[in-house]
Amino acid sequence: LLSYFLGRFSRLAGLLSGGALAAGSAAALGFGFMNGPAMALLLWTLAALTHSAIVNADSSGSTEAERKHVESRDQMGGLEASLRSLKRDFAALSASEKKALTLYSAVKLLSEAVDLESAGKQFGRYIKDYFDTSDFAFYVNDLNSGVSELFAAGEKTGLSSPEAAARLAGGDPSALSGVAGLERVILAPVIHAGIQAGFFALRFPQETFNRDASAAAAREFADEVSFAVKRIQLFRQVEWLSQVDGLTGVYRRNALDEKIGEEIRRASA
């Protein structure tokens, strides 16, 4: 019992006490002192020491196995956390790459467009993919009249009028100098060489709206397409000058011929 209780606190103390009892029992037998009890004590002590050695060995092996199991579990948890982090990074990288490709395609489209009506429809699809919303309107300022004209819009939007944009901007949208908007709406000017070339309005779903992130994305988009939007302005101006006499402001004969041809085709359709 003494060896057992001491061994609970210190394995060395338990072994030493058991060894001392065994040595004392052997000495008692050698001197012929209480042969029966001494023999019983000696055998009991040896059996107890043997049992203790076996139990301690199993316990040591069990402890080592448990320690390895805990280490393996911790390593597995670390690997799973790293895998989740890599998946998030990969998803973010894929989304960023998709946005960059969409933005490049939009700029390329505006830089090469000749048919502005078709270009406006395709540009609207790029805006939808880039911002993940179909509620938007993109305006280009006309250099001849100074009026903001709708260039692209979502399928179902309440933003496709200058009046609606003015309400969202809290004033004249042409006076915008930075990203603005109310509630879930972002209004961003497109500025080239310090002059506003146009602006666009976006309305986001409640569940995906993040004002700071959306404003930053709108600002980046406006900066990247600004020079291409300027080209659209100049293209429209050249097209207008080809149809209108610069001195009198009256439409030229070729404009009349084109309009007559359009009306004849429309009437015969």
Side-chain angles (χ1 to χ4, degrees), residues 227-239:
F227 78 94
V229 173
K230 184 65 178 179
R231 176 192 176 275
I232 297 297
Q233 280 188 305
L234 296 175
F235 189 90
R236 280 182 169 179
Q237 185 179 37
V238 170
E239 188 177 38

Side-chain angles (χ1 to χ4, degrees), residues 128-209:
K128 179 181 178 180
D129 293 341
Y130 189 86
F131 293 102
D132 197 22
T133 179
S134 58
D135 195 355
F136 65 88
F138 194 99
Y139 295 86
V140 176
N141 297 340
D142 187 73
L143 293 177
N144 303 306
S145 63
V147 177
S148 298
E149 297 183 353
L150 183 65
F151 181 69
E155 296 87 354
K156 297 179 181 179
T157 179
L159 306 173
S160 55
S161 69
E163 293 76 15
R167 287 195 302 270
L168 295 172
D172 185 5
S174 63
L176 281 174
S177 58
V179 176
L182 301 173
E183 297 180 353
R184 296 180 290 108
V185 178
I186 295 295
L187 200 64
V190 179
I191 300 175
H192 178 75
I195 302 174
Q196 188 186 107
F199 65 91
F200 59 95
L202 307 158
R203 181 182 282 118
F204 294 90
Q206 181 66 45
E207 59 274 10
T208 61
F209 181 63

Side-chain angles (χ1 to χ4, degrees), residues 4-46:
Y4 172 76
F5 283 112
L6 288 176
R8 296 287 294 176
F9 298 97
S10 173
R11 184 180 300 177
L12 180 60
L15 291 175
L16 290 177
S17 61
L21 288 174
S25 301
L29 284 175
F31 289 107
F33 180 70
M34 299 178 64
N35 290 336
M39 179 61 70
L41 181 60
L42 177 60
L43 293 176
W44 178 264
T45 304
L46 292 176

